[in-house]
Amino acid sequence: MATAMRARAPVAPCRRASQGAAASSSSSSSSGGGFAHRKPSARGGTTHPARASATSLARPARPVKPARLHRRSAMGSYFDMDEPGGGAPGSGGGGPTTIPDSMPAMEERGAPKPYFPPVGVADDPTLANPLVRQMMLSTSWFGCVFDLEGVLIKSREKEHRESWMKLAKRHDHPPPPEMVLKHCDTMKPEDFIARQLRWTRDPMQMRRYNEERVEIFETIVAESGSLDELQPGVERFLELLQRADVPMAVMDGKKRFSQLCVTLDALGVMRYFENVDSPTGEPNVVSGEDVSDWLPDPLPIERACTAMGRTTKRCVVFGNNTTVTEACMECGAKSVLLLGRQPRYELQGADTVVERLTDLSIENLKRLFTEETSDAAEPEREKVEIFPSKFTAPVVAERSWEPEARSDDAGGKEPPDYMRRRRRRPDL
């Protein structure tokens, strides 16, 4: 019987009509039962009940989806939750809300960004006290680190080389070559024995070698009759920095702490490196026994900056070789190199190269920090691949000269008088 009724039922002309019929049937059934909704007839106002097709009876009506919220209005609901009565519908309104980090920033284009105090930069416009801001921009804001030999006193490179040669001869070691001896006064003696000479790696034996070498070095200096003296203009430059409240430190990797303090007392410059704020009362002196490694490792510079109470980015290091430049570039300090040990073209990586300390002034030192940058104040720069993953064909530059003319001779060069050259005999 159901099959016969399905066969007699008219087929819906289209899907849209069947959905309309289904909607009308559902509305009529929900209004009170029966066919309450009647369609007017075209013959004379008589009405007949709307008939539902078989397709509408077989398929249930699809639920109506709610309208999607706009992205901006959906994001605005997060910000409205903090307000009384705000938030998502049915949430009850206020209360502190944590906005996730993945939410994009809702700021207009061209709007002024809030100032973020940059890290490691002296000038801070957010300071309300102009005196504090002026103090941060004064000379007491940075510090100076001096290498003993080559900056404060005359370099003893010749005496150091002679002492190592005599020590090698005394212990029946082969004489060190020149390419090894050039590192004798820029490294710690223990590291020089273990890494360059490779005599031993025993710490006690390396210490005995060094003590014996120091005795040979002092004998050579005494025989030469030249005592340690300050370079011309050094004391005047140290006095200038002290009047400007600039903290100073000295470092030397070939002497112990006690020996370095005795040397500074004999030179009469210990008062420039005193540290009143030190709990132990020790001066701003860094020796080879205070750190595990020496230049070009930045450990000595970092220890000197810690003793002075300054960051490495706020310090100027004075030296006379490229190891100072390498250490400064690694820790972010400024380097000032003096001529004498190496030629000028080898010192191009330094921030400043001078012949003597008297060529510098306080203004020159302050200008070293004019082009400082901050990772917090500036956006991240575009990273450039040193070794690109995709190699392209090299671009061949066009030749700036004119192409050579073709001629009969083997070299392919045009003869001087090409108007009178012998014509080629035609082929027979």
Side-chain angles (χ1 to χ4, degrees):
M1 182 176 179
T3 307
M5 291 178 62
R6 190 177 296 112
R8 296 195 199 111
V11 181
C14 63
R15 185 176 179 182
R16 184 177 301 174
S18 63
Q19 291 179 359
S24 62
S25 62
S26 61
S27 61
S28 62
S29 60
S30 61
S31 61
F35 297 98
H37 178 70
R38 297 179 181 271
K39 299 175 67 176
S41 176
R43 291 186 177 182
T46 59
T47 60
H48 65 277
R51 301 179 59 182
S53 62
T55 309
S56 63
L57 293 175
R59 297 180 180 178
R62 294 184 179 182
V64 180
K65 294 183 179 181
R68 291 185 178 181
L69 294 176
H70 195 266
R71 179 170 175 266
R72 187 175 297 274
S73 61
M75 292 175 59
S77 62
Y78 286 96
F79 298 94
D80 298 338
M81 294 179 103
D82 293 338
E83 301 178 359
S91 60
T97 305
T98 304
I99 303 175
D101 296 338
S102 59
M103 296 286 292
M106 299 293 296
E107 58 181 13
E108 298 180 0
R109 180 175 298 180
K113 297 183 179 180
Y115 176 80
F116 186 84
V119 180
V121 180
D123 191 14
D124 188 1
T126 60
L127 291 176
N129 192 343
L131 298 179
V132 177
R133 184 177 178 186
Q134 183 179 4
M135 183 188 64
M136 294 184 64
L137 292 173
S138 64
T139 54
S140 60
W141 167 57
F142 60 90
C144 295
V145 183
F146 297 91
D147 199 353
L148 179 63
E149 291 191 8
V151 179
L152 299 183
I153 63 176
K154 182 182 178 181
S155 178
R156 296 286 187 175
E157 182 183 2
K158 181 180 178 180
E159 289 80 358
H160 285 298
R161 294 193 178 199
E162 188 176 353
S163 64
W164 285 111
M165 294 291 290
K166 289 186 176 182
L167 182 64
K169 185 177 181 180
R170 179 179 297 184
H171 292 276
D172 297 332
H173 289 295
E178 179 66 24
M179 62 180 300
V180 174
L181 283 176
K182 67 180 182 180
H183 302 286
C184 65
D185 60 335
T186 59
M187 299 179 62
K188 293 175 60 177
E190 293 81 2
D191 296 341
F192 183 71
I193 294 173
R195 299 178 185 179
Q196 299 294 336
L197 299 177
R198 299 184 180 181
W199 289 350
T200 181
R201 289 187 176 273
D202 185 10
M204 297 303 297
Q205 184 66 21
M206 289 189 298
R207 187 169 184 175
R208 286 192 289 266
Y209 275 143
N210 184 33
E211 292 177 354
E212 190 173 354
R213 186 206 64 84
V214 170
E215 295 178 0
I216 298 175
F217 174 77
E218 293 177 354
T219 304
I220 295 174
V221 173
E223 291 177 355
S224 62
S226 59
L227 301 178
D228 291 335
E229 296 180 357
L230 291 175
Q231 297 271 37
V234 170
E235 189 171 3
R236 184 172 55 183
F237 185 74
L238 297 179
E239 184 70 25
L240 177 64
L241 294 178
Q242 189 179 39
R243 289 200 307 264
D245 297 332
V246 178
M248 293 170 283
V250 64
M251 59 182 184
D252 187 78
K254 297 175 288 296
K255 296 183 178 182
R256 297 184 179 180
F257 182 81
S258 58
Q259 297 174 352
L260 188 53
C261 291
V262 171
T263 304
L264 294 176
D265 283 330
L267 295 173
V269 293
M270 176 58 79
R271 65 181 186 275
Y272 299 111
F273 306 103
E274 293 179 354
N275 189 358
V276 184
D277 299 332
S278 176
T280 58
E282 296 181 353
N284 299 332
V285 173
V286 180
S287 62
E289 62 182 1
D290 295 331
V291 291
S292 59
D293 203 353
W294 202 251
L295 303 178
D297 195 282
L299 281 177
I301 300 177
E302 293 175 355
R303 183 176 178 86
C305 294
T306 303
M308 294 186 299
R310 300 291 184 271
T311 62
T312 54
K313 292 184 178 181
R314 304 279 73 80
C315 287
V316 183
V317 185
F318 297 83
N320 67 336
N321 54 78
T322 55
T323 58
V324 176
T325 306
E326 296 176 16
C328 291
M329 293 184 65
E330 186 172 351
C331 66
K334 306 298 181 181
S335 59
V336 177
L337 299 186
L338 275 69
L339 293 173
R341 176 184 172 87
Q342 293 177 284
R344 184 183 290 270
Y345 65 85
E346 293 184 2
L347 308 178
Q348 295 181 0
D351 295 290
T352 305
V353 179
V354 294
E355 294 185 2
R356 58 187 67 87
L357 291 179
T358 54
D359 297 340
L360 295 172
S361 63
I362 296 295
E363 190 66 25
N364 299 138
L365 299 181
K366 292 177 66 175
R367 287 178 180 176
L368 295 177
F369 303 97
T370 55
E371 298 181 357
E372 62 184 358
T373 57
S374 174
D375 298 337
E378 294 186 357
E380 185 178 359
R381 299 178 182 271
E382 183 181 358
K383 298 180 179 180
V384 180
E385 296 183 0
I386 301 178
F387 301 99
S389 56
K390 296 181 180 180
F391 292 93
T392 58
V395 179
V396 181
E398 298 181 357
R399 291 186 290 183
S400 58
W401 61 87
E402 297 181 357
E404 298 173 350
R406 299 178 181 178
S407 59
D408 299 335
D409 50 343
K413 299 179 181 180
E414 191 69 23
D417 194 2
Y418 63 92
M419 297 295 294
R420 299 181 181 179
R421 65 181 180 178
R422 181 175 56 86
R423 294 184 176 275
R424 187 174 182 181
R425 181 179 298 178
D427 298 334
L428 299 177

